[in-house]
């Protein structure tokens, strides 16, 4: 039997498969709630209400979506080079540490340039940390998935050591923290007197970086070369592409995005580095990237969706008595569903035709059927 594929099949699958996977995840979450003696329809309604029901819900959703865009890029950019890097959480906490720690090392002007420097410090630390996974992969043959995950655990341990030890603010008693950033170094809200409320400039930075990453991958020679490496690294080496440099660069850029997310969490949300930064945003970014199929242009939409799921957790707790962390169960279902949906990639619209029909088509069209 021969198969005929249409040009629009791939684009349709890119939308239908993630949408179907998310619908399946919501269905499984409803069953999970039902087994707990609660109403699935009420849970689904509260998920929507807590995420997008009013202006306050939108503020919470967008604020949570901002770091998810950046940690998703930490997965998506190496993935376009053929690597599965899941160490965004480690880059994020080190970025937070770099942002909070730079004022310890040097006096910074409490203005926009000082804010840019603390964000840059976080991005550079994140870039160096994830680039290490790429270096280990290229020069020592270490699996990047394992190395990036283990490096994440090491980064969290280093973060706790410095926050609870050399960098601890003596005024922080029950919750060890670094000294708070000066007011002039913090990143403020976009429009505090509007419906956006406390939504900070990290959202704008995240959207712009997603757009820039998509433009780079789609319309530049280096972006095309990176995608060639991701498609077939051996073929890329045969045509003379610098595969090692491209792979390490992709890891470094992804790590810089995750490190920037950590710096923004300090400069715009927490004002200091403490345990609140270790909130699993790097791990959720993995899911966001996979649902978006590592497409930077789709990441903001998916990040808003999962930011909304996180924002709805407290409403589920108040109205239904479910734990706030129950939304993590939904995220787990979504991850399993999206991986299962990948098995249908390239098969959803396949049309089976008999070999005889294929021969007739060849005879009439004068060319092979694709």
């Amino acid at each position: 039997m021969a198969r005929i594929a249409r040009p629009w099949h791939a684009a349709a699958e890119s939308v239908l498969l993630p949408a179907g996977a998310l619908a399946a995840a919501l269905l499984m979450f409803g069953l999970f709630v039902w087994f707990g003696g609660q109403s699935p329809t009420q849970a689904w309604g509260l998920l929507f209400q807590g995420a997008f029901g009013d202006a306050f819900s939108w503020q919470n959703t967008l604020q949570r979506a901002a770091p998810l865009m950046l940690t998703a890029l930490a997965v998506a950019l190496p993935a376009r080079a053929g690597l599965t890097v899941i160490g965004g959480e480690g880059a994020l906490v080190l970025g937070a540490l770099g942002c909070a720690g730079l004022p310890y090392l040097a006096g910074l002007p409490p203005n926009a340039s000082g804010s840019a420097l603390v964000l840059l410090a976080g991005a550079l630390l994140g870039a160096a940390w994830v680039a290490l996974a790429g270096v280990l992969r290229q020069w020592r043959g270490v699996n990047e998935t394992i190395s990036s995950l283990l490096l994440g655990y090491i980064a969290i341990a280093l973060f706790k050591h410095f926050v609870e030890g050399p960098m601890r603010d003596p005024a922080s008693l029950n919750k060890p923290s670094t000294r708070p950033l000066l007011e002039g170094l913090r990143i403020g809200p976009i429009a505090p007197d509007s419906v956006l409320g406390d939504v900070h400039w990290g959202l704008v930075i995240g959207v712009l970086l997603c757009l820039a990453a998509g433009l780079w991958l789609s319309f530049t020679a280096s972006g095309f070369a990176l995608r060639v490496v991701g498609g077939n690294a051996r073929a890329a080496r045969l045509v003379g592409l610098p595969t090692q440099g491209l792979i390490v660069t992709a890891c470094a850029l992804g790590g810089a995005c995750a490190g920037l997310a950590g710096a923004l969490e300090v400069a715009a949300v927490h004002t200091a580095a403490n345990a609140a930064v270790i909130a699993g945003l790097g791990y959720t970014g993995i899911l966001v990237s996979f649902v978006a199929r590592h497409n930077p242009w789709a990441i903001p939409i998916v990040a808003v969706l999962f930011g909304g799921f996180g924002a709805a957790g407290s409403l589920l707790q108040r109205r239904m008595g479910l734990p706030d962390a129950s939304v993590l169960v939904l995220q787990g279902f979504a991850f399993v569903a999206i991986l299962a949906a990948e098995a249908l990639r390239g098969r959803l619209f396949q049309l089976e035709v008999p070999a005889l029909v294929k021969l007739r088509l060849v005879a009439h069209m004068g060319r092979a059927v694709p």
Side-chain angles (χ1 to χ4, degrees):
M1 301 290 282
R3 292 186 174 98
I4 294 180
R6 304 301 184 198
W8 54 269
H9 287 175
E13 284 182 345
S14 297
V15 175
L16 293 178
L17 288 180
L22 290 175
L26 286 170
L27 179 60
M28 289 187 286
F29 182 71
L31 291 174
F32 169 78
V33 171
W34 180 71
F35 280 121
Q38 301 288 344
S39 169
T41 55
Q42 184 184 6
W44 293 328
L46 290 176
L47 276 174
F48 178 82
Q49 182 181 348
F52 313 112
D54 52 28
F56 178 78
S57 299
W58 271 104
Q59 292 172 21
N60 201 359
T61 294
L62 294 177
Q63 190 161 338
R64 290 170 182 264
L68 293 182
M69 296 178 195
L70 296 171
T71 55
L73 285 175
V75 180
L77 293 178
R80 302 305 290 268
L83 274 64
T84 305
V85 172
I86 57 175
E89 184 77 3
L92 181 144
V93 299
L94 285 185
L97 189 65
C99 174
L102 185 61
Y104 283 77
L105 302 177
L108 298 176
N111 51 31
S113 61
S115 299
L117 287 174
V118 294
L119 295 182
L120 179 62
L124 290 177
L125 268 180
W129 199 252
V130 179
L132 182 57
V135 170
L136 291 172
R137 173 69 174 83
Q138 292 303 300
W139 279 277
R140 302 300 300 175
V142 180
N143 182 279
E144 74 280 356
T145 306
I146 297 174
S147 66
S148 61
L149 180 62
L150 295 179
L151 284 170
Y153 291 137
I154 295 172
I156 292 173
L158 289 172
F159 177 88
K160 290 181 178 179
H161 167 73
F162 282 101
V163 170
E164 298 176 9
M167 293 173 57
R168 179 171 180 172
D169 181 7
S172 60
L173 301 177
N174 296 326
K175 188 176 184 179
S177 303
T178 59
R179 292 199 302 262
L181 289 179
L182 296 175
E183 185 70 30
L185 297 178
R186 300 175 189 174
I187 306 298
I190 300 172
D193 297 327
S194 69
V195 294
L196 291 176
D198 293 332
V199 179
H200 55 78
W201 283 98
L203 179 69
V204 176
I205 293 172
V207 171
L208 290 178
L209 285 179
C210 287
L211 293 175
L215 290 172
W216 173 58
L217 289 170
S218 300
F219 298 107
T220 67
S222 58
F224 175 74
L226 184 71
R227 290 188 286 119
V228 172
V229 171
N232 191 322
R234 183 179 180 184
R237 286 193 295 270
L238 290 176
V239 299
L241 292 178
T243 57
Q244 294 180 336
L246 287 170
I247 286 174
V248 174
T249 298
C251 291
L253 290 175
C257 291
L260 180 59
L264 285 167
E265 284 296 290
V266 170
V269 180
H270 303 293
T271 73
N274 52 50
V277 174
I278 312 173
L281 296 172
Y283 299 125
T284 307
I286 300 170
L287 178 57
V288 171
S289 181
F290 271 86
V291 174
R293 295 204 69 239
H294 311 307
N295 182 348
W297 287 341
I299 283 175
I301 299 172
V302 181
V304 169
L305 178 63
F306 280 89
F309 288 162
S314 60
L315 189 61
L316 289 173
Q317 185 179 41
R318 293 195 307 271
R319 298 284 183 86
M320 300 182 66
L322 295 175
D324 187 24
S326 60
V327 292
L328 298 179
V329 177
L330 174 59
Q331 292 180 9
F333 285 146
F335 193 63
V336 172
I338 198 65
L339 292 180
E342 287 299 312
L344 298 175
R345 184 73 56 186
R347 301 180 182 179
L348 195 59
F349 295 101
Q350 283 181 345
L351 302 176
E352 299 284 354
V353 295
L356 180 60
V357 175
K358 180 184 178 182
L359 291 176
R360 288 178 179 174
L361 289 173
V362 171
H364 284 289
M365 299 173 64
R367 59 185 176 85
V369 177

